[in-house]
Amino acid sequence: ASLEEVKAKGTIVVGIQGDNAPWGFVNSSGTQDGFDADVATLFAKEIGVNVQFQPLAVANRIPALTTGKVDILFATMAMTEERAKSIQYSKPYAANTIALYAAKADKVSTAEDLAGWEIGVPKSSSQDKAVTDAVGSSATVRRFDDDAATIQALISGQVKAVGGNQFYGQRLEAAAAGTYERKIDFLTTYNGVGTRLGEKDWNDTVNAFIDKIKANGELAAITKKWMGIELPQFPESIPNIPFTVN
Amino acid sequence: MNYQFDFGAVFERAPELLWATLGTFGLAFAGMALALVIGVVGVIGRTSPNKIVRAPVIAFVEIVRNTPFLVQIFYIYFALPLMGIRLNPTATAIIALGINGGAYAIEIIRGGVESIGKGQVEAGYALGLHKADVFRLIVLKPALRAIYPSLTSQFIMLTLTTSVCTSIAAYELTSAAQRIESDTFRSFEVYFLVTGIYLVISTVMMGIFALISRRYFSYPTR
Amino acid sequence: MISLEKVEKWYGAFHALKDINLTVRKGEKIVLCGPSGSGKSTLIRCINVLETIEGGRITVGGRVVDGSSKAVDAIRREVGMVFQSFNLFPHMTVLQNCALAPMRVRGMGRAEAEALARKYLERVRILDQADKYPAQLSGGQQQRVAIARALCLEPKIMLFDEPTSALDPEMVKEVLDTMISLARDGMTMICVTHEMGFARQVADRVIFMASGEIIEEAEPDVFFTSPKHERTKTFLGEILAHH
Amino acid sequence: MISLEKVEKWYGAFHALKDINLTVRKGEKIVLCGPSGSGKSTLIRCINVLETIEGGRITVGGRVVDGSSKAVDAIRREVGMVFQSFNLFPHMTVLQNCALAPMRVRGMGRAEAEALARKYLERVRILDQADKYPAQLSGGQQQRVAIARALCLEPKIMLFDEPTSALDPEMVKEVLDTMISLARDGMTMICVTHEMGFARQVADRVIFMASGEIIEEAEPDVFFTSPKHERTKTFLGEILAHH
Amino acid sequence: MGPIGANEFLFILQGLKWTALLAVIGFIGGGVFGILIAVTRVSKSATARAVAAAYIGLFQGTPLLMQLFVVYYGVALVGINVSAWLAVAIAFTLHASAFLGEIWRGSIQAVPKGQTEAANALGLHYVSRMKDVILPQALKISMPATIGFLVQLIKGTSLAAIVGFIELARAGQIISNQTYRPLLVFGIVGTIYFIICWPLSHFGTALEKRMAKAAR
Ligand SMILES: Nc1ncnc2c1ncn2[C@@H]1O[C@H](COP(=O)(O)OP(=O)(O)OP(=O)(O)O)[C@@H](O)[C@H]1O
Ligand SMILES: Nc1ncnc2c1ncn2[C@@H]1O[C@H](COP(=O)(O)OP(=O)(O)OP(=O)(O)O)[C@@H](O)[C@H]1O
Ligand SMILES: [Mg+2]
Ligand SMILES: [Mg+2]
């Protein structure tokens, strides 16, 4: 639906992840929760409508948007050139730092030091790609179903290191205080809000909204609440990924 | 449906799929061998007159048969290291498959052993054979023959269960499929093709089982 | 050769053998008869320790049958047994059936064991079937193989438990002939059988059991013509009516 | 009522019925006998199309038995059949067994079908067992239920395939009595049976088959006292020896 | 790292609801199609028999996990609104129908031939013959195996976790993602499965024993 239709209807359908805490997940009492849910709720308030969440599986996010099943995606979408051909990204509103975590005792500073190691990552995640690109065939990459299994593999000693995002440090600390640390930063990806290509009214509205919450501290508060970190620095532009409709 | 099928990107990864297929075969055969050992040894315990021997075997069988393999393999992979036993995914997968198949094998083989007449056992004793020899030389083969069809279909299932080992990152076909999928985004093509490969694998397995049966159980019965 | 003294056998609360006393000399042939359930099978099964006894004493070849596995092993080597239902091993050829015990129990090599097996298969006139499987043989042939298999242990005593009662009438004779020829060679034998012709021809003594007891014991001529006890008379009346 | 002309039946390469010619008039009672494997069951199974024939012609009640499902339906409604092994449906009560065909084949309502079933259960003197399951009845009772079940189709012809041979001797009589009483009522019947008393008492003709052929056909008195063929004589000799 | 409290436990139990629903749907759907498969498998037409045999061979010869993937993505391709729920339900129905079909084929063939003949002799038509005479008896014969498969199916629903459907096992994964106590969570999940499956298994075995005794 167009922005006008949504405003007329009074409800916006938001595509979101249903099982990826803390980004977007259905919480223990069965309601949608998480970082994306908070930001999306704020957005709905901004345009004066009610919010209705549609949890989506990773692979269904783009099809659900392009076929009109949802109006907008607050769905932990890392911005990539590939995806930017299918949807319109907004300015970034969240960042994800992919890094290598390993025991403090292990000396490692570059990817070359990882030769012969076993490294765990969640299957098909950004970490998977980043670690695989970095180590090539010099180390064994073990791919697990999710973050919990990956972290458990490190704690159980099934792997010597894991490729993780910014939450891993906190979680490893909670599981085994003082044992693990962040070793190598591979890359940082940025999440944008997804709208349909060419729909300028949506894109403009979202960008204005993001600028506003960045400025008034609301985004920083949500970031702190869910990730325990300060608001990261966002780039002004990313090559081949336009933030606005031209 | 306006989807354009494109198997090209998937076919490019044929060598990887081939190796992974071998990995699946390897897991399956090793798992079966272990299951058979567990089955045969377990049957001895399961049919023991001593309750203290029998009870843990029964508990083992019931627990394994009434919980999902996914949960079992997860436990073996992540819990054993906490007790100081660290196994790589391949070894873990083989052990998990062996344990799972073994629990079923115990019950199946028990049915076979019980189908062997008491007279056979007594004839063995009367000839002066010891208990172990009677079991090994006289009971086992006819018992296995009696339950061969159920045992092999259980082993086909075990072969197909190797696909679940992807969740501990074992080297096998489903893991390869998921990797290729995440690289090519050709989900349907990948899984369609790999399903076909599994069909070939299970067909080959059945052929092998039939061959074994013809060689090993060729003696005539009435 | 064999002696049973005051043997008592219970199955739970059921008293299967009651105060059994019996001595069998070397070379003697005993025929055991009696109604169904009288304890005939139980008695001979006690001799080669397929059953344990609750009272009394059994000695076989001078050796006391106690629970010890050494005694059990020794006795089972001395005693060959032939069952009603043959109990050949279906997954082994005739030759393998016969060679099994010599190899496993007496530790022979395969060649030696098979030579022995051939010898006894010849003895029961069935050597030409050596490479067949039991299922490919007639009942009478199977029973003769079972006899050869027991003989391969080179036992001093042979026990037969109704060896012909599972056979079709045409096949009974071939098995009886084999047993008669064994008897002629001087083998010590205890046979549970109701084949009266056989009993008359070879038995030194006929023993009649009923309800777990030995009721009567006599030479065949005496036994069949002038039995002493009422129960023996009734029993003989019954089985003779069918012949 | 029934006529078979030059009927030929093959099971693969086995020639089960050879040039069978037979006419059965309304109300006639035929007894079919002959050695095992002679084709008696095959013959009557062809009549109600449980088997198809390879040559010749069968007509039942004026209707030709061709493959058409219409003819098959019509004929099966006219012909009731009772099997050696009863073949009652074990998951239905006696009443349900009997009411099934009237409801499904003749489209009766439940009440009407059950009334009919009760009538024929009464007829075979077993109405008091109507609510039991087959497994709760004796063999003779089961067979009478099977007869009642067939009667519920209100057939013009009844076929019996050794209806008493699976029964314990004590129960044979009750089933034969039922059959005799049916015969008295004028039912057209073909019975495969070796019950000679029954044959003498009710049969209009006895037909003797051997190796798929009709060898001899005569009234019972003639058949039993002066059979013409050698094979018939041998056969009669055998079955009479056992009675 | 968080504690496993009432909320988390409740969440897992919600997953159980879906597991149960999935098993029920698979069992009912599989049952309906399974009867069709079984009946086709014993039909007179050789072609129909071959088709049913191929269907059974396909689903018994490939992993349930792959069936889930293929249906999940296949349904999406056909353009149907892909709720994971629908795809998973379809996959389980297909899977269960093949297995139940094969179990029931065996049971149908285990009904004595005399029953069919008696039904024929009474003039009963195919539908009545099957519905009134053969299937009720076949169903009884198949009970132990059918229950055994139901247990198999309940455990099999855990694989829906791998395609992202939130049933019991997936709920456990999510909670372990939130609390970082995977071993504890999976212990709970495993126990829940056991509590459901064990009585069923037990019932099936008891039934089998009783029927074996009755047959003697
Ligand atoms: N294992 C057992 N447990 C309980 N009772 C038994 C057992 N074996 C035999 N019996 C009982 O002991 C009695 C004697 O049995 P046995 O087999 O010795 O009789 P038998 O004289 O050989 O009879 P048959 O001529 O029928 O072979 C029978 O009443 C039998 O029921
Ligand atoms: N379905 C079949 N396939 C092959 N041969 C068959 C089949 N049914 C019967 N026969 C053969 O046809 C011959 C006649 O069989 P039928 O049952 O009619 O004999 P019968 O006279 O009824 O014998 P019985 O007194 O034993 O019942 C037999 O030799 C039998 O082996
Ligand atoms: Mg006996
Ligand atoms: Mg017949």
Side-chain angles (χ1 to χ4, degrees):
Chain A
S2 72
L3 183 57
E4 288 316 311
E5 285 165 352
V6 165
K7 281 182 175 165
K9 200 170 46 159
T11 303
I12 183 171
V13 182
V14 173
I16 194 165
Q17 288 210 332
D19 52 8
N20 187 11
W23 292 103
F25 61 98
V26 180
N27 68 19
S28 314
S29 41
T31 52
Q32 184 71 44
D33 211 344
F35 173 85
D36 276 331
D38 280 3
V39 178
T41 307
L42 214 54
F43 176 67
K45 206 165 88 193
E46 173 77 16
I47 62 172
V49 295
N50 292 322
V51 64
Q52 180 192 332
F53 290 111
Q54 174 67 55
L56 297 169
V58 175
N60 299 336
R61 291 176 297 186
I62 293 176
L65 178 68
T66 52
T67 58
K69 298 221 163 55
V70 300
D71 298 316
I72 195 166
L73 290 175
F74 285 84
T76 325
M77 291 283 278
M79 300 159 94
T80 65
E81 281 181 40
E82 186 76 9
R83 289 171 176 166
K85 287 176 193 148
S86 311
I87 61 167
Q88 175 64 54
Y89 277 112
S90 70
K91 293 181 178 173
Y93 69 104
N96 210 354
T97 305
I98 306 303
L100 187 88
Y101 294 83
K104 280 186 176 153
D106 288 322
K107 291 281 165 280
V108 45
S109 49
T110 67
E112 281 80 63
D113 298 336
L114 297 172
W117 283 35
E118 293 187 56
I119 304 166
V121 292
K123 210 169 269 174
S124 309
S125 63
S126 322
Q127 295 100 291
D128 186 353
K129 189 162 174 6
V131 172
T132 308
D133 288 348
V135 301
S137 58
S138 69
T140 309
V141 180
R142 298 230 180 268
R143 298 176 178 83
F144 299 98
D145 283 343
D146 54 23
D147 291 332
T150 307
I151 288 174
Q152 187 61 44
L154 180 61
I155 294 167
S156 295
Q158 291 285 16
V159 293
K160 242 180 132 176
V162 295
N165 56 31
Q166 65 267 34
F167 310 120
Y168 274 42
Q170 213 183 323
R171 289 168 182 179
L172 284 167
E173 197 57 28
T179 315
Y180 302 102
E181 65 184 9
R182 185 158 148 182
K183 298 283 193 185
I184 308 171
D185 283 358
F186 290 115
L187 67 122
T188 302
T189 59
Y190 298 96
N191 294 354
V193 178
T195 54
R196 277 177 290 270
L197 285 174
E199 293 189 345
K200 195 164 163 45
D201 48 352
W202 277 114
N203 178 254
D204 286 347
T205 314
V206 173
N207 278 337
F209 164 71
I210 290 174
D211 286 340
K212 180 180 162 194
I213 58 174
K214 276 179 188 166
N216 69 11
E218 281 179 299
L219 186 58
I222 296 174
T223 305
K224 186 86 190 165
K225 170 181 169 196
W226 288 107
M227 315 199 182
I229 54 174
E230 302 305 324
L231 189 64
Q233 283 294 318
F234 294 110
E236 281 309 313
S237 69
I238 301 177
N240 295 323
I241 303 177
F243 298 161
T244 53
V245 177
N246 22 4
Chain B
M1 191 165 88
N2 45 19
Y3 185 84
Q4 290 293 313
F5 285 97
D6 179 8
F7 282 93
V10 184
F11 284 138
E12 274 170 27
R13 309 284 288 266
E16 205 175 324
L17 285 175
L18 200 68
W19 283 112
T21 302
L22 291 181
T24 289
F25 264 113
L27 285 187
F29 277 119
M32 278 176 219
L34 182 60
L36 203 57
V37 171
I38 291 178
V40 170
V41 175
V43 156
I44 298 172
R46 180 67 180 76
T47 54
S48 158
N50 187 344
K51 208 170 170 175
I52 298 164
V53 179
R54 219 166 52 227
V57 179
I58 294 175
F60 166 76
V61 168
E62 294 296 337
I63 290 172
V64 172
R65 292 204 308 172
N66 290 296
T67 52
F69 180 74
L70 187 62
V71 174
Q72 293 162 10
I73 194 169
F74 189 89
Y75 240 88
I76 295 172
Y77 191 66
F78 291 123
L80 278 189
L82 302 182
M83 305 187 312
I85 305 164
R86 184 161 309 139
L87 299 163
N88 65 32
T90 302
T92 308
I94 291 170
I95 287 173
L97 289 166
I99 283 179
N100 188 271
Y104 286 95
I106 288 175
E107 284 306 290
I108 293 173
I109 296 174
R110 179 167 72 103
V113 168
E114 284 174 357
S115 78
I116 301 304
K118 218 175 110 217
Q120 292 284 311
V121 177
E122 292 191 339
Y125 287 142
L127 286 174
L129 297 179
H130 289 156
K131 201 172 168 179
D133 272 349
V134 167
F135 183 78
R136 193 168 61 88
L137 300 170
I138 294 171
V139 174
L140 197 53
K141 193 167 173 178
L144 286 179
R145 174 177 170 140
I147 47 79
Y148 193 70
S150 355
L151 194 64
T152 51
S153 63
Q154 191 64 49
F155 278 178
I156 294 287
M157 281 204 223
L158 182 144
T159 305
L160 301 178
T161 305
T162 55
S163 65
V164 181
C165 300
T166 179
S167 66
I168 58 151
Y171 185 73
E172 50 74 60
L173 198 46
T174 302
S175 303
Q178 289 182 335
R179 260 193 74 55
I180 296 172
E181 181 212 0
S182 75
D183 291 351
T184 64
F185 298 108
R186 290 284 164 190
S187 314
F188 183 77
E189 287 89 334
V190 174
Y191 290 120
F192 188 78
L193 188 70
V194 169
T195 301
I197 299 179
Y198 273 111
L199 196 57
V200 171
I201 291 177
S202 55
T203 310
V204 168
M205 283 284 184
M206 278 189 257
I208 293 173
F209 288 144
L211 223 65
I212 292 174
S213 162
R214 217 173 305 148
R215 280 206 77 98
Y216 188 68
F217 297 127
S218 62
Y219 64 90
T221 51
R222 263 184 237 256
Chain C
M1 198 77 217
I2 304 176
S3 86
L4 289 84
E5 297 163 42
K6 302 189 175 169
V7 169
E8 303 282 342
K9 167 78 195 166
W10 295 80
Y11 288 118
F14 180 79
H15 202 170
L17 293 182
K18 299 171 191 162
D19 187 29
I20 299 289
N21 292 283
L22 175 67
T23 310
V24 181
R25 285 181 306 277
K26 191 162 183 319
E28 225 185 346
K29 291 108 189 68
I30 307 284
V31 161
L32 208 56
C33 63
S36 181
S38 57
K40 308 177 298 292
S41 299
T42 306
L43 176 65
I44 64 169
R45 290 161 57 84
C46 287
I47 294 174
N48 74 341
V49 217
L50 286 180
E51 307 282 352
T52 52
I53 57 175
E54 274 76 43
R57 217 167 87 111
I58 301 180
T59 55
V60 177
R63 192 183 288 270
V64 178
V65 179
D66 52 15
S68 80
S69 71
K70 218 174 129 202
V72 172
D73 283 358
I75 284 159
R76 286 190 180 152
R77 262 185 229 196
E78 306 271 295
V79 180
M81 181 153 180
V82 177
F83 299 84
Q84 175 179 6
S85 48
F86 328 143
N87 290 333
L88 294 178
F89 306 133
H91 57 299
M92 301 180 186
T93 63
V94 162
L95 193 67
Q96 288 166 343
N97 261 280
C98 293
L100 180 68
M103 285 167 66
R104 299 290 166 188
V105 179
R106 294 174 50 193
M108 287 186 184
R110 175 174 300 278
E112 196 185 352
E114 291 192 348
L116 186 76
R118 280 176 205 284
K119 174 176 147 195
Y120 286 106
L121 286 170
E122 176 80 73
R123 177 82 184 69
V124 301
R125 300 169 172 283
I126 203 159
L127 184 53
D128 50 330
Q129 312 286 342
D131 293 324
K132 288 200 181 163
Y133 285 90
Q136 296 167 314
L137 304 182
S138 75
Q141 290 174 322
Q142 289 191 52
Q143 193 61 299
R144 282 186 286 148
V145 173
I147 294 173
R149 183 174 69 176
L151 290 175
C152 283
L153 275 174
E154 312 215 290
K156 305 228 170 61
I157 304 147
M158 286 285 283
L159 308 176
F160 294 87
D161 192 357
E162 310 204 29
T164 59
S165 64
L167 296 178
D168 291 337
E170 318 87 79
M171 292 161 188
V172 171
K173 189 170 178 299
E174 63 180 84
V175 172
L176 286 180
D177 283 349
T178 307
M179 289 169 65
I180 290 169
S181 118
L182 265 183
R184 296 246 162 86
D185 285 4
M187 176 67 78
T188 312
M189 288 163 68
I190 304 183
C191 310
V192 177
T193 181
H194 295 134
E195 292 294 335
M196 291 306 137
F198 174 81
R200 278 173 192 275
Q201 203 173 340
V202 308
D204 296 310
R205 264 185 297 163
V206 179
I207 292 174
F208 177 69
M209 290 184 72
S211 316
E213 290 177 283
I214 294 183
I215 304 279
E216 187 152 356
E217 201 180 320
E219 289 181 12
D221 282 347
V222 181
F223 183 83
F224 289 114
T225 51
S226 50
K228 284 198 286 280
H229 287 260
E230 265 322 299
R231 294 197 60 171
T232 320
K233 284 177 195 160
T234 338
F235 178 74
L236 283 175
E238 269 169 28
I239 60 167
L240 294 177
H242 282 91
H243 283 258
Chain D
M1 199 79 220
I2 304 176
S3 87
L4 288 84
E5 297 163 41
K6 300 190 174 168
V7 169
E8 304 281 341
K9 167 77 195 169
W10 295 80
Y11 288 117
F14 181 77
H15 203 168
L17 292 182
K18 299 170 191 161
D19 188 29
I20 300 289
N21 292 284
L22 175 67
T23 310
V24 182
R25 285 181 305 278
K26 189 160 187 315
E28 226 185 344
K29 291 109 188 67
I30 308 284
V31 160
L32 208 56
C33 64
S36 180
S38 56
K40 309 178 294 293
S41 299
T42 307
L43 176 64
I44 63 169
R45 290 160 57 84
C46 286
I47 293 174
N48 74 341
V49 217
L50 287 179
E51 307 283 352
T52 53
I53 56 175
E54 275 75 44
R57 219 167 86 112
I58 301 180
T59 55
V60 177
R63 192 183 287 269
V64 178
V65 178
D66 52 16
S68 79
S69 69
K70 219 174 126 201
V72 171
D73 285 359
I75 284 158
R76 285 187 181 155
R77 263 185 227 196
E78 306 271 296
V79 180
M81 181 155 180
V82 176
F83 299 85
Q84 175 176 8
S85 48
F86 329 144
N87 292 338
L88 293 178
F89 305 134
H91 58 298
M92 300 182 185
T93 63
V94 163
L95 193 68
Q96 288 166 342
N97 262 281
C98 293
L100 182 65
M103 285 167 66
R104 301 289 178 207
V105 178
R106 295 173 51 191
M108 287 185 184
R110 174 172 302 280
E112 195 187 353
E114 291 191 348
L116 186 75
R118 280 178 205 284
K119 174 177 145 196
Y120 286 106
L121 286 170
E122 174 79 76
R123 177 80 185 71
V124 302
R125 304 169 168 283
I126 205 162
L127 184 53
D128 49 330
Q129 312 285 341
D131 293 325
K132 288 199 180 163
Y133 284 89
Q136 297 168 310
L137 303 182
S138 75
Q141 290 173 321
Q142 289 191 51
Q143 193 60 299
R144 284 186 286 147
V145 173
I147 294 173
R149 183 175 69 174
L151 290 175
C152 282
L153 276 173
E154 313 215 287
K156 304 226 171 60
I157 303 148
M158 286 284 284
L159 307 176
F160 293 88
D161 192 356
E162 309 204 26
T164 58
S165 64
L167 296 178
D168 292 338
E170 317 88 77
M171 291 158 189
V172 171
K173 190 170 175 304
E174 64 181 80
V175 172
L176 287 180
D177 284 348
T178 307
M179 290 169 65
I180 290 169
S181 117
L182 265 184
R184 297 243 163 87
D185 284 4
M187 176 67 79
T188 312
M189 289 164 67
I190 304 183
C191 310
V192 177
T193 181
H194 295 137
E195 293 293 336
M196 291 307 137
F198 174 79
R200 279 173 192 274
Q201 203 172 340
V202 308
D204 296 310
R205 266 186 294 163
V206 179
I207 292 175
F208 175 70
M209 289 185 73
S211 317
E213 290 175 284
I214 295 184
I215 304 278
E216 189 153 354
E217 200 180 320
E219 288 180 13
D221 283 348
V222 180
F223 184 83
F224 289 113
T225 51
S226 50
K228 284 198 288 279
H229 287 260
E230 266 321 302
R231 295 198 60 173
T232 320
K233 284 175 194 162
T234 340
F235 177 74
L236 283 175
E238 270 169 27
I239 60 168
L240 295 177
H242 284 91
H243 283 260
Chain E
M1 201 92 174
I4 307 242
N7 264 340
E8 283 71 21
F9 195 71
L10 223 65
F11 185 77
I12 292 177
L13 286 184
Q14 272 170 5
L16 172 61
K17 183 183 74 191
W18 290 108
T19 287
L21 206 58
L22 208 52
V24 168
I25 296 266
F27 195 63
I28 292 174
V32 171
F33 287 104
I35 289 184
L36 287 182
I37 297 295
V39 168
T40 314
R41 191 75 183 79
V42 297
S43 81
K44 280 212 182 85
S45 151
T47 327
R49 283 202 308 270
V51 170
Y55 181 89
I56 292 169
L58 177 65
F59 285 96
Q60 293 197 341
T62 54
L64 174 54
L65 189 57
M66 283 296 134
Q67 294 163 19
L68 284 167
F69 278 130
V70 169
V71 174
Y72 188 82
Y73 292 108
V75 168
L77 284 191
V78 189
I80 301 173
N81 182 8
V82 252
S83 88
W85 162 243
L86 180 69
V88 167
I90 291 176
F92 273 95
T93 300
L94 291 173
H95 175 80
S97 65
F99 276 81
L100 289 174
E102 180 67 1
I103 290 172
W104 291 341
R105 173 199 62 82
S107 315
I108 288 174
Q109 288 178 340
V111 175
K113 217 171 135 240
Q115 295 288 314
T116 310
E117 296 205 330
N120 274 330
L122 287 174
L124 297 180
H125 283 162
Y126 181 78
V127 172
S128 167
R129 199 166 70 224
M130 277 294 170
K131 180 171 75 71
D132 296 325
V133 178
I134 306 297
L135 291 181
Q137 297 187 55
L139 193 68
K140 189 173 167 218
I141 296 171
S142 75
M143 274 312 267
T146 304
I147 291 170
F149 178 71
L150 179 58
V151 172
Q152 206 66 25
L153 193 66
I154 292 171
K155 291 189 296 168
T157 56
S158 67
L159 297 189
I162 302 187
V163 301
F165 181 73
I166 307 182
E167 43 57 72
L168 183 50
R170 182 73 186 160
Q173 272 178 2
I174 291 172
I175 292 298
S176 86
N177 258 326
Q178 285 171 15
T179 62
Y180 287 84
R181 293 173 183 273
L183 293 180
L184 178 60
V185 171
F186 269 68
I188 294 172
V189 168
T191 308
I192 296 176
Y193 275 108
F194 185 81
I195 291 172
I196 307 168
C197 293
W198 190 67
L200 270 176
S201 302
H202 215 67
F203 177 57
T205 326
L207 214 60
E208 195 173 354
K209 269 192 200 139
R210 208 165 68 209
M211 281 167 58
K213 216 184 248 164
R216 241 181 273 137

